[in-house]
Amino acid sequence: MIPVDNHLHTYLCGHAVGEVGEYVEVAVRKGIREVGFCDHLPLYFLPPGRTIPGYAMDEKDLPRYVEMIERSAKWAPITVKLGIEADYVPGYEEKLAGLLSLHTFDYVTGSVHFIEGWGFDNPAEIAEYDSREIDLVYEQYFTLVQQAALTGLFDVMAHPDLIKKFNFRPARDLSSLYGETARAFKKAGVCVEVNTAGLRNPAREIYPSPELLEIFFKHGLPATLGSDAHSPDQVGAGLSEAMKLVKSVGYTEIATFSGRQRKFVKI
Ligand code: ZN
Ligand code: FE
Ligand code: FE
Ligand code: ZN
């Protein structure tokens, strides 16, 4: 039984395909009890007039997105939640808080996709790894993830070790960074997302890795599940594997969200 898939995108972000109804249909077919849409929040941190084509929904589409998900929650045969995936960029916390306050989300998922403007998970910017020191990049990434959590703006931290996406692996031992990250998450009171997109990326590993998830579990951090589907066929993809992983490190329940409050489903 898959209790929830809390990370679905829609066509609105410009790089995913499919209508809400198509995503819900696949979830129903796969026996997933609850889904949460988590489309990319408009790029609030860019200077006015600048955009990254196909990266996130337009600002004018945010009310449409909210309405679209809320409407689908009324007719869907399963529970549908309204989430949002928000990038974290230091220095823009107030703008982000302002944007988030416009709507009543069930949960806000925080993501780090940029290191000082470098879109490190964007295939178009992959060449940049060659001119960077990987150990340092990992350190910068996890520092940003900790800062993001500590803003208090997020309920869930998405794909916690996304930096491994293209399988550039550090030489250094990561345990101190992992411990620091878990302590920051604990202090911030956030939930961690077990995100299966990593299985489809060159890393070929769920985000977070088993080692990192084990540390999160030992620090008492709750976990939720997400496929990060960018097309309807990806709904629930890898989630049976994710369930095995969470159980193997000791989790007995999975978090779901309503009106930014956490609830737990026994697994
Ligand atoms: Zn996306
Ligand atoms: Fe993401
Ligand atoms: Fe996503
Ligand atoms: Zn994502």
Side-chain angles (χ1 to χ4, degrees), residues 139-261:
E139 197 169 314
Q140 289 175 300
Y141 171 78
F142 282 105
T143 304
L144 281 168
V145 169
Q146 292 165 27
Q147 275 181 37
L150 290 168
T151 61
L153 293 168
F154 308 115
D155 306 299
V156 181
M157 297 311 294
H159 36 62
D161 57 357
L162 178 66
I163 192 64
K164 73 185 178 192
K165 177 174 176 178
F166 296 119
N167 211 27
F168 292 98
R169 300 286 184 164
R172 63 166 281 177
D173 174 61
L174 293 173
S175 47
S176 61
L177 268 184
Y178 284 176
E180 232 173 60
T181 304
R183 286 192 295 278
F185 282 11
K186 185 67 193 171
K187 191 172 168 200
V190 293
C191 172
V192 297
E193 181 194 59
V194 177
N195 179 309
T196 57
L199 294 171
R200 310 188 293 269
N201 298 148
R204 292 279 177 266
E205 189 182 66
I206 288 173
Y207 308 113
S209 65
E211 302 73 47
L212 181 52
L213 188 62
E214 200 172 344
I215 293 172
F216 287 156
F217 177 73
K218 287 189 175 140
H219 282 77
L221 295 169
T224 192
L225 302 173
S227 65
D228 217 337
H230 280 72
S231 59
D233 61 292
Q234 289 174 347
V235 174
L239 289 189
S240 345
E241 205 165 315
M243 286 287 282
K244 273 188 215 147
L245 174 63
V246 294
K247 286 179 184 167
S248 74
V249 306
Y251 283 98
T252 55
E253 53 188 17
I254 287 295
T256 66
F257 294 85
S258 265
R260 308 202 63 178
Q261 299 295 318

Side-chain angles (χ1 to χ4, degrees), residues 7 9 40 55 85 87 109-113 121 158-159 162 193 195 228 230:
H7 197 143
H9 289 275
H40 300 275
Y55 185 88
E85 178 171 8
D87 274 279
T109 295
S111 290
V112 171
H113 300 110
D121 79 322
H159 36 62
L162 178 66
E193 181 194 59
N195 179 309
D228 217 337
H230 280 72

